[in-house]
Amino acid sequence: MKLTIALSKGRIFEETLPLLAAAGIVPAEDPESSRKLVIDTNHEHVKLVIVRASDVPTYVQYGAADLGIAGRDVLIEHGGDGLYQPLDLNIARCKMMVAVSNDFDYEAAVKHGARLKIATKYPQIAREHFARKGVHVDIIKLYGSMELAPLVGLADAIVDLVSTGNTLKANNLLAVEHILDISSRLVVNQAALKLKYSTIQPVLDAFASAVPA
Ligand code: AMP
């Protein structure tokens, strides 16, 4: 039976390779060097489709892919409709944080009832975080280079992923609040899991046995 797996390039793809290997799946090409969006594997019926990280849940939701791997950040923003999320793969780990300019007094600004301008690629996560604190926010949606926003006065703070912290440091920003721990999860189309159970379940089991500690 045919199986299509949606992946994004870069870190998720690289850290997924050992999991695919555990399921006996070896991609025929590296998407980093190939321009192909559909990558064959050593199994005639197993294909990988290479999409934007934030589009993975959409491909799986509509059944264009049976399985996918997406960050918790992306899944929260998507909402998770039509998806099972059976497995935390413990890969592409990082933290969702609030960060401000080194010279910005966040403690003073974030008082209950205050109003802050927040630049982010993650409006849902940012809105929920500040709602819990009783802080009003104007969300400014950006698609990248969030770190620039506080430096040029576009926002008081950003909500962004932090891994090593080097990007913040290089831009004179300071992480002031931890919102969520992020890792990537396996997502499965709900109908596909029923219809292709005998094909999908062994892949889920192999992934589960190969999840890094
Ligand atoms: P770092 O400088 O290592 O803290 O990395 C921060 C930059 O990498 C930010 O621009 C983040 O948006 C991005 N980043 C870090 N970790 C991840 C991840 N797991 N998935 C996607 N983007 C990430």
Side-chain angles (χ1 to χ4, degrees):
M1 203 176 284
K2 279 189 185 172
L3 193 69
T4 303
I5 305 174
L7 295 174
S8 54
K9 282 197 217 183
R11 204 165 146 188
I12 288 184
F13 186 84
E14 273 157 36
E15 295 190 33
T16 299
L17 284 175
L19 301 171
L20 289 170
I25 299 167
V26 182
E29 277 174 278
D30 177 357
E32 230 52 71
S33 52
S34 165
R35 287 178 180 266
K36 281 192 186 169
L37 300 175
V38 181
I39 307 267
D40 290 327
T41 71
N42 57 328
H43 290 275
E44 194 188 339
H45 298 298
V46 181
K47 309 259 184 234
L48 309 179
V49 291
I50 306 300
V51 303
R52 277 287 286 264
S54 50
D55 291 335
V56 166
T58 306
Y59 276 78
V60 177
Q61 171 186 10
Y62 292 104
D66 303 299
L67 305 180
I69 294 177
R72 187 181 176 199
D73 50 330
V74 162
L75 289 167
I76 294 173
E77 293 298 323
H78 170 270
D81 275 2
L83 304 175
Y84 288 125
Q85 299 182 27
L87 196 57
D88 184 345
L89 299 172
N90 213 16
I91 60 171
R93 285 163 54 92
C94 57
K95 293 179 190 308
M96 186 69 73
M97 313 240 358
V98 181
V100 298
S101 239
N102 278 339
D103 56 8
F104 183 81
D105 189 348
Y106 184 68
E107 288 312 314
V110 77
K111 296 254 168 357
H112 189 94
R115 186 158 208 109
L116 282 179
K117 273 192 287 181
I118 307 293
T120 188
K121 204 167 134 184
Y122 309 97
Q124 191 64 28
I125 292 171
R127 203 167 272 123
E128 277 173 26
H129 173 71
F130 287 101
R132 274 194 301 274
K133 296 168 71 74
V135 173
H136 302 285
V137 286
D138 296 317
I139 303 281
I140 300 167
K141 164 91 189 193
L142 294 178
Y143 294 87
S145 301
M146 262 89 79
E147 294 84 1
L148 185 60
L151 306 180
V152 295
L154 180 62
D156 300 310
I158 62 171
V159 166
D160 194 10
L161 298 175
V162 180
S163 176
T164 60
N166 290 341
T167 306
L168 292 182
K169 212 166 153 194
N171 291 292
N172 300 315
L173 302 178
L174 199 62
V176 286
E177 219 160 37
H178 171 258
I179 302 179
L180 289 168
D181 286 328
I182 303 290
S183 56
S184 289
R185 294 166 178 221
L186 185 68
V187 294
V188 186
N189 176 272
Q190 289 179 352
L193 185 60
K194 293 197 190 78
L195 296 170
K196 301 185 178 180
Y197 185 82
S198 61
T199 305
I200 291 177
Q201 192 58 43
V203 176
L204 298 192
D205 292 342
F207 275 31
S209 70
V211 166

